[in-house]
Amino acid sequence: MNTELVIFDLDGTLLDTIGDLAVACNAMLALRGLPQHSYEEYCHFVGNGILRLVERALPEVLRTPENVAAARADFVKYYIDHIDCHTKPYAGIPELLQELTRRGVRMAVASNKFQAGTEKLIARFFPGVEFVAVFGQRPDVPLKPDPAVVDEILARAGTPKERVLYVGDSGVDMQTARAAGVRSAGVTWGFRDREELQAAGACQLVDRPDQLIALL
């Protein structure tokens, strides 16, 4: 395929972050004396940014713009200080990034996690990896599945779309790749199931990081 650039989602793709996301969100709920949620529930709450995560965690009657904004602020305050307590790379991911580097394939990150959190996790877990761009949620940039973040990465990298592979674990990721006009690989080790990835139009499904090499 002569892939020159691989764009990775972060949560559920490079890193298993759900433990810290769940703890931080439950801490926010505990501050308010509200019911907390399970690990499994949080797997379905994530994927559309922190604002939607805390909105989904709150009882429906409390999902006013003011309450959601305040909840997001409390979540971010806790999460940024406890961002790597339970988080870890998925098995095989460090080796995959090393192999891509060895082959001269460039890499980038496109996440719906807020920018400061995205940057902190990449610096913490992949300090020796050179990325073309590390982009999270930023003001005035639409969240995925809008393709704006992918378009921005492609402009920075100067890579033709036919030489790009987008890798993610959710339907949102597959929709993003389709909207951007690039190939997609859905990973089955993340937070969502094969059926969601297939329904969202994944070009390929992979069960282990090393299988991505065959798609290059």
Side-chain angles (χ1 to χ4, degrees):
M1 292 289 185
N2 292 323
T3 300
E4 296 178 4
L5 174 68
V6 178
I7 302 174
F8 290 101
D9 172 54
L10 182 61
D11 300 69
T13 301
L14 293 178
L15 295 175
D16 183 354
T17 57
I18 201 71
D20 286 315
L21 289 168
V23 169
C25 216
N26 279 339
M28 174 276 292
L29 294 169
L31 280 175
R32 291 160 170 76
L34 296 172
Q36 300 184 7
H37 300 286
S38 68
Y39 174 99
E40 290 75 18
E41 288 174 300
Y42 280 113
C43 286
H44 294 279
F45 289 172
V46 299
N48 298 98
I50 297 304
L51 201 65
R52 290 298 304 278
L53 168 61
V54 298
E55 181 183 48
R56 289 163 176 160
L58 289 170
E60 189 169 356
V61 69
L62 297 179
R63 295 174 187 173
T64 65
E66 296 78 14
N67 284 339
V68 173
R72 182 190 187 280
D74 287 338
F75 170 90
V76 169
K77 182 178 179 181
Y78 184 96
Y79 183 64
I80 201 70
D81 289 334
H82 303 83
I83 200 166
D84 59 357
C85 294
H86 304 285
T87 292
K88 59 184 181 300
Y90 286 101
I93 287 295
E95 294 80 4
L96 170 65
L97 301 188
Q98 289 172 6
E99 180 61 17
L100 292 176
T101 299
R102 188 188 71 79
R103 291 175 178 237
V105 177
R106 293 189 291 173
M107 294 169 280
V109 173
S111 176
N112 274 347
K113 185 189 292 292
F114 62 106
Q115 183 68 23
T118 300
E119 291 176 349
K120 187 169 183 177
L121 286 174
I122 291 296
R124 164 70 175 84
F125 290 102
F126 308 114
V129 179
E130 183 177 345
F131 290 97
V132 172
V134 175
F135 288 149
Q137 179 185 9
R138 295 162 293 149
D140 302 322
V141 179
L143 291 172
K144 301 181 296 183
D146 190 288
V149 64
V150 174
D151 292 340
E152 187 176 355
I153 290 170
L154 298 186
R156 175 177 290 196
T159 307
K161 290 185 177 184
E162 61 270 18
R163 297 189 182 278
V164 175
L165 178 66
Y166 183 99
V167 181
D169 73 304
S170 71
V172 167
D173 290 310
M174 302 304 101
Q175 293 162 7
T176 302
R178 177 184 289 181
V182 299
R183 287 186 301 130
S184 61
V187 306
T188 63
W189 58 78
F191 304 151
R192 304 296 172 83
D193 56 32
R194 301 175 73 91
E195 289 73 23
E196 176 175 322
L197 294 166
Q198 290 170 329
C203 297
Q204 303 281 345
L205 293 182
V206 294
D207 299 316
R208 303 189 317 271
D210 63 341
Q211 292 176 337
L212 285 166
I213 298 297
L215 304 183
L216 299 179

